[in-house]
Amino acid sequence: MKLKVYVDRMSQPSRAILIFCKVNRIDFEEVQINIAKGQHLSPEFKKINPMRQVPAIADGKFTLFESHAVLVYLACAFPGVADHWYPADLFRRAKINSVLDWHHSNLRRGAATYVLNTVLAPVLGLASNPQAAAEAEKILSSSLSKIESIWLKGNGKFLLGGFQPSIADLSLVCEIMQLELLDENDRSRILGPHKKVLEWIENTKTATRPHFEEVHQILYRAKTRFQEQRSMGSNNTTGSSNRMTLPSKM
Amino acid sequence: MKLKVYVDRMSQPSRAILIFCKVNRIDFEEVQINIAKGQHLSPEFKKINPMRQVPAIADGKFTLFESHAVLVYLACAFPGVADHWYPADLFRRAKINSVLDWHHSNLRRGAATYVLNTVLAPVLGLASNPQAAAEAEKILSSSLSKIESIWLKGNGKFLLGGFQPSIADLSLVCEIMQLELLDENDRSRILGPHKKVLEWIENTKTATRPHFEEVHQILYRAKTRFQEQRSMGSNNTTGSSNRMTLPSKM
């Protein structure tokens, strides 16, 4: 039975898993779980992931969720996956696990909370929390500095001095990519000072092309839509509604 | 060269790693990094963990941080560790990874943020944030409910229906143990409704005795000290100082 990958392409860990499967030519079926339509709350999807979150997978009767656990499983279960994605070597694997674990409470927390409390809240009809956004920006900027000074030091193109990407590169770069949705001033202020991070993003795109850009198309379309709506909002002086609409594919 | 384990016993992931090493009779040296004294900020410790956090390890020249990555490494690197802690079986291992990954943004985030914004902030001379505490309690209570309904269902004594503990049991139970520091009313309100969680905590203590209780002695002493200071604080009507002192071992 073909591997099923349950995703919403608007979710950054969903995109990481899709890119991984495509780059590694894993034979899979993409099952779209549209969060905006509440499909993650259906009884059918609860059987796949009782936490009701994407991404998740079903490999025959075996189900799994949490994107890092999924990436590790896919790298180990599918023999065609090159070793550099999740090296068999105990020490290199341990270092990658360390990056992935660190990611949760640092880069992911900062990026996701910042995007939610700036551009996403109005789209979702929620109140933005400027204090939460300010705190998240601190975590995010600190995380980017640490990535640069600790894991991107040296001459390697990827984290931990690697010359080929690992699942940690893919997961972290996909997380950062959601900053595309921000107002350009905000995005430049946050990412601009981190030249090595910007190079690393490009290296990861290049190493996973054309799949990286293809899977991120939905994000680029959302970015354009958000920009247009911000522009309309700033020209709208009637104050009738500040709520923006979701892109049709969200 | 003997494994060095850098810990502050007041940190819950530090305690998890110490218990793991002791239960599995790993030959190691405990190096105390006293956070209250700023020892995690020293140049020497930066060489072990550039993130300047405990726990961390040095196994010869190999250094590692992030407690889950460390537990996985120890389980794989030391041949005396029984398989149930981190099974070699791909599917069982994947499920444990899923629990560990979920832990970061759910149970850990809820428990650590709640304890910080209730009992720890006054001890550390910080302002408590009641709104942050209220939000953290929601995450914590929701996490405990999910642990009970998803991972403790069935007849097993441990997570995922296990009859012996894994590193996920140890990590999550050690996280919950910090709730010992709370005012008893708060602790009962949060933990009381979760009978299965309470049984699982006892099962984990029993499976890892006497080391579990020995390593948690510092927490029990802090609990007593906090209770005494709260009691003194409530009898103190002069309002001279609400700041409590850290236990001598912190």
Side-chain angles (χ1 to χ4, degrees):
Chain A
M1 197 185 289
K2 196 187 277 191
L3 174 76
K4 288 188 177 181
V5 180
Y6 298 81
V7 290
D8 182 327
R9 286 192 177 207
M10 279 306 294
S11 115
Q12 54 276 17
S14 288
R15 291 193 292 265
I17 289 177
L18 285 178
I19 294 165
F20 183 83
C21 287
K22 286 169 182 260
V23 169
N24 288 290
R25 298 169 189 265
I26 291 172
D27 187 24
F28 74 102
E29 177 191 346
E30 178 178 347
V31 184
Q32 298 201 14
I33 301 294
N34 190 313
I35 295 174
K37 291 183 181 169
Q39 291 174 349
H40 58 304
L41 304 175
S42 74
E44 293 75 28
F45 186 62
K46 193 184 173 190
K47 291 177 193 160
I48 304 299
N49 181 359
M51 298 292 180
R52 301 177 164 197
Q53 291 175 321
V54 288
I57 62 165
D59 191 9
K61 287 185 179 174
F62 179 72
T63 58
L64 192 67
F65 57 90
E66 282 292 329
S67 68
H68 292 171
V70 169
L71 288 167
V72 166
Y73 171 79
L74 294 174
C76 296
F78 288 81
V81 176
D83 185 72
H84 63 82
W85 287 105
Y86 191 60
D89 176 78
L90 178 66
F91 303 102
R92 291 172 63 205
R93 181 169 285 195
K95 290 283 192 185
I96 290 172
N97 288 339
S98 177
V99 177
L100 290 170
D101 286 338
W102 174 87
H103 178 35
H104 289 281
S105 305
N106 294 280
L107 178 65
R108 170 159 294 167
R109 186 168 176 175
T113 310
Y114 185 79
V115 170
L116 176 65
N117 282 286
T118 51
V119 290
L120 272 191
V123 176
L124 299 170
L126 302 172
S128 297
N129 180 337
Q131 191 190 339
E135 286 168 13
E137 184 172 344
K138 280 188 201 163
I139 297 174
L140 174 53
S141 292
S142 165
S143 298
L144 293 169
S145 294
K146 285 174 180 163
I147 289 171
E148 212 160 45
S149 64
I150 296 171
W151 285 315
L152 288 176
K153 68 179 181 187
N155 298 322
K157 284 182 162 182
F158 299 100
L159 297 172
L160 299 161
F163 289 91
Q164 287 180 296
S166 76
I167 55 174
D169 293 285
L170 193 52
S171 177
L172 273 63
V173 167
C174 283
E175 194 72 36
I176 295 171
M177 284 301 291
Q178 70 183 304
L179 303 182
E180 289 285 330
L181 295 178
L182 300 179
D183 174 274
E184 200 51 38
N185 288 336
D186 291 341
R187 188 170 168 275
S188 298
R189 182 184 71 251
I190 293 170
L191 272 178
H194 303 287
K195 303 298 179 207
K196 276 194 158 185
V197 167
L198 292 169
E199 278 176 38
W200 164 57
I201 293 169
E202 290 309 311
N203 292 339
T204 304
K205 284 182 184 177
T206 303
T208 57
R209 69 182 173 197
H211 309 292
F212 193 99
E213 295 293 3
E214 185 265 309
V215 171
H216 280 85
Q217 282 306 309
I218 190 170
L219 187 77
Y220 300 139
R221 283 198 297 274
K223 175 191 176 103
T224 305
R225 183 77 62 99
F226 282 20
Q227 282 172 335
E228 287 169 2
Q229 292 181 327
R230 269 194 295 271
S231 168
M232 284 168 63
S234 65
N235 293 331
N236 172 8
T237 53
T238 63
S240 57
S241 172
N242 285 320
R243 182 165 173 178
M244 295 191 273
T245 55
L246 290 165
S248 58
K249 290 282 285 185
M250 270 182 88
Chain B
M1 195 185 289
K2 196 187 278 191
L3 174 75
K4 287 187 177 182
V5 180
Y6 299 81
V7 290
D8 182 330
R9 287 194 178 206
M10 278 306 294
S11 114
Q12 55 277 15
S14 289
R15 292 193 292 266
I17 289 176
L18 285 177
I19 295 165
F20 183 83
C21 288
K22 287 169 181 260
V23 169
N24 288 291
R25 299 169 188 268
I26 292 173
D27 188 24
F28 75 102
E29 176 191 347
E30 178 177 345
V31 183
Q32 297 201 14
I33 302 294
N34 190 314
I35 295 174
K37 291 182 180 168
Q39 292 175 348
H40 59 303
L41 304 175
S42 75
E44 294 75 27
F45 186 61
K46 192 183 174 192
K47 290 177 194 160
I48 305 299
N49 181 0
M51 299 291 179
R52 301 177 166 200
Q53 291 174 321
V54 289
I57 62 166
D59 192 8
K61 287 184 178 174
F62 179 72
T63 59
L64 192 65
F65 56 91
E66 281 293 330
S67 69
H68 292 172
V70 170
L71 288 168
V72 165
Y73 171 78
L74 294 174
C76 296
F78 288 82
V81 176
D83 185 71
H84 63 82
W85 287 106
Y86 192 60
D89 175 78
L90 177 66
F91 303 103
R92 290 172 63 203
R93 180 169 286 194
K95 289 284 191 183
I96 290 172
N97 288 340
S98 176
V99 176
L100 289 170
D101 287 337
W102 174 88
H103 178 35
H104 289 280
S105 304
N106 295 279
L107 179 64
R108 171 159 293 167
R109 185 167 178 177
T113 311
Y114 186 79
V115 170
L116 176 65
N117 283 286
T118 50
V119 290
L120 273 190
V123 176
L124 300 170
L126 302 172
S128 299
N129 181 337
Q131 192 191 339
E135 285 169 11
E137 183 173 342
K138 278 187 205 163
I139 297 173
L140 174 53
S141 292
S142 165
S143 298
L144 293 169
S145 295
K146 283 173 181 164
I147 288 171
E148 211 160 45
S149 63
I150 295 172
W151 284 316
L152 288 175
K153 68 179 180 186
N155 297 323
K157 283 180 163 186
F158 299 100
L159 296 171
L160 299 163
F163 288 93
Q164 288 179 295
S166 77
I167 54 174
D169 293 285
L170 192 53
S171 178
L172 274 63
V173 166
C174 283
E175 194 72 37
I176 295 172
M177 284 301 292
Q178 70 184 304
L179 303 183
E180 289 286 329
L181 295 178
L182 299 180
D183 174 273
E184 200 51 38
N185 288 337
D186 291 342
R187 189 171 168 274
S188 297
R189 184 186 67 251
I190 293 169
L191 272 178
H194 303 288
K195 302 300 177 206
K196 277 193 156 185
V197 167
L198 292 169
E199 277 176 38
W200 164 58
I201 294 170
E202 290 307 310
N203 292 338
T204 304
K205 285 182 184 178
T206 303
T208 57
R209 69 181 172 199
H211 309 292
F212 193 98
E213 295 294 1
E214 185 266 307
V215 171
H216 279 84
Q217 282 306 310
I218 190 171
L219 187 77
Y220 300 140
R221 285 197 297 273
K223 174 192 176 104
T224 305
R225 184 75 63 100
F226 282 20
Q227 281 171 336
E228 287 169 3
Q229 292 181 327
R230 269 195 295 269
S231 168
M232 285 168 63
S234 65
N235 293 331
N236 172 9
T237 53
T238 64
S240 57
S241 171
N242 286 320
R243 181 165 173 179
M244 296 189 274
T245 57
L246 289 166
S248 58
K249 291 282 284 186
M250 272 182 84

